[in-house]
Amino acid sequence: MMSAPVYQDGVLAHARGGERERLRLLEELSDPTTITIFERLGVAAGWRCVEAGAGAGSIAHWLSARCPDGRVTATDLDVAFLSERPTPANMTVARHDVMRDDFPAGSQNLVHARALLSHIPDPEHVLDRMAGWLVPGGWIVLEDPTYLPAAASPYPKFAELLEACQQLLARTQGTDHTWARRIPAAMARSGLTDVGMTVRVAVCGTDETEDAFWRQCFTQATPALIDTGLMTAEQIAAAVAHLDDPAFTDTAWVMVSCWGRRPS
Ligand SMILES: C[S@@+](CC[C@H](N)C(=O)[O-])C[C@H]1O[C@@H](n2cnc3c(N)ncnc32)[C@H](O)[C@@H]1O
């Protein structure tokens, strides 16, 4: 039974204008780190993998090519973007709510979720359930964003906008940007071993793709930021104008990537 998902009513819903492009940009920015981790963990031809909250599906397709003798299940609450491309023979696309729907115990070599669990209530519980899907020796890779302190930014208007976007997501869909740094401890509590973490800091003002991603995030958030009284249109415009200034460079978010293994 599917839930009534808050995420799909929010500013990041697939139906929002621009969300498909925002996810494409997220993939372009984040896939290299994800793939480096998978290569280090030794993802192999026969692995069975779950890509949860697969979004537009680039990682599911990468895994499908990497695991020709295995099986990839790409899941999402809304599989519309996943259905845009032909589904390879070793991939299943499934509508699946990670808060409720399960996979058989001990069935997967790899479970991956990026920018998903920070949007979910009780991510620790979801992690515990995911750990149960793993074969002995199987890996979970979880990636979620967190932020550096706004007070440390030399650009207070830009920092205020980032802060307001975090508050908006927290209020409207329960997003918790403190989750990312709790992942390693949660993995250890869940009984996973060989836990590790790496981060990628997003830098605005020097990279076209990064700036395009943030412009799209701000465009999607603008009506709700104004409606909720978190920011005025003038404040948002002043913050976004930094991206047009060739002298501007600052950090946006930090993507935290963690991995842990079910003991053999
Ligand atoms: C920010 S996007 C990230 C997409 C993709 N993982 C990536 O990093 O490119 C989050 C995705 O999780 C999906 N999602 C949100 N809540 C979910 C849930 N309860 N179960 C499954 N998917 C969910 C959304 O529909 C969306 O596609």
Side-chain angles (χ1 to χ4, degrees):
M1 182 66 65
M2 300 299 297
S3 62
V6 181
Y7 186 95
Q8 297 299 62
D9 299 332
V11 297
L12 305 180
H14 286 189
R16 291 268 164 182
E19 179 60 7
R20 175 70 183 80
E21 174 62 4
R22 200 189 69 88
L23 288 180
R24 189 194 68 72
L25 292 164
L26 177 66
E27 291 179 342
E28 193 177 332
L29 293 166
S30 308
D31 283 4
T33 303
T34 305
I35 289 167
T36 300
I37 293 168
F38 288 169
E39 285 176 336
R40 215 178 320 123
L41 298 182
V43 174
W47 279 24
R48 281 160 288 146
C49 310
V50 168
E51 170 67 356
S58 62
I59 287 297
H61 281 267
W62 187 90
L63 285 169
S64 150
R66 176 79 174 212
C67 307
D69 307 324
R71 177 118 227 116
V72 178
T73 309
T75 74
D76 206 288
L77 279 180
D78 176 351
V79 297
F81 296 157
L82 293 172
S83 307
E84 284 173 0
R85 289 164 71 176
T87 304
N90 65 339
M91 189 196 294
T92 303
V93 171
R95 186 158 184 258
H96 180 282
D97 181 348
V98 78
M99 292 192 283
R100 289 172 177 74
D101 301 326
D102 265 311
F103 285 87
S107 61
Q108 305 297 323
N109 300 94
L110 173 71
V111 176
H112 174 243
R114 188 175 68 201
L116 173 62
L117 265 59
S118 54
H119 300 298
I120 300 287
D122 201 357
E124 281 88 353
H125 178 63
V126 176
L127 165 60
D128 287 346
R129 287 181 32 249
M130 286 175 158
W133 305 342
L134 294 175
V135 299
W139 290 95
I140 291 190
V141 178
L142 297 180
E143 306 180 88
D144 270 294
T146 190
Y147 288 82
L148 296 170
S153 171
Y155 299 100
K157 291 177 183 165
F158 189 72
E160 271 166 30
L161 177 55
L162 287 176
E163 180 93 21
C165 288
Q166 289 172 66
Q167 285 182 29
L168 179 69
L169 292 181
R171 279 191 204 175
T172 56
Q173 56 185 55
T175 299
D176 178 0
H177 287 113
T178 71
W179 156 249
R181 286 170 63 187
R182 303 205 308 272
I183 298 172
M187 284 184 165
R189 258 195 315 274
S190 197
L192 301 177
T193 61
D194 303 289
V195 172
M197 177 201 255
T198 190
V199 299
R200 187 188 76 84
V201 180
V203 176
C204 286
T206 54
D207 181 280
E208 266 180 34
T209 309
E210 198 74 67
D211 289 0
F213 173 74
W214 287 99
R215 280 182 199 279
Q216 188 55 45
C217 291
F218 299 146
T219 299
Q220 280 174 235
T222 289
L225 286 171
I226 296 169
D227 286 352
T228 51
L230 281 164
M231 289 194 96
T232 64
E234 293 70 30
Q235 286 173 315
I236 297 169
V240 175
H242 279 304
L243 294 172
D244 298 322
D245 173 2
F248 169 76
T249 306
D250 199 10
T251 60
W253 68 15
V254 177
M255 183 62 88
V256 178
S257 305
C258 304
W259 52 90
R261 180 174 222 183
R262 182 171 169 188
S264 299

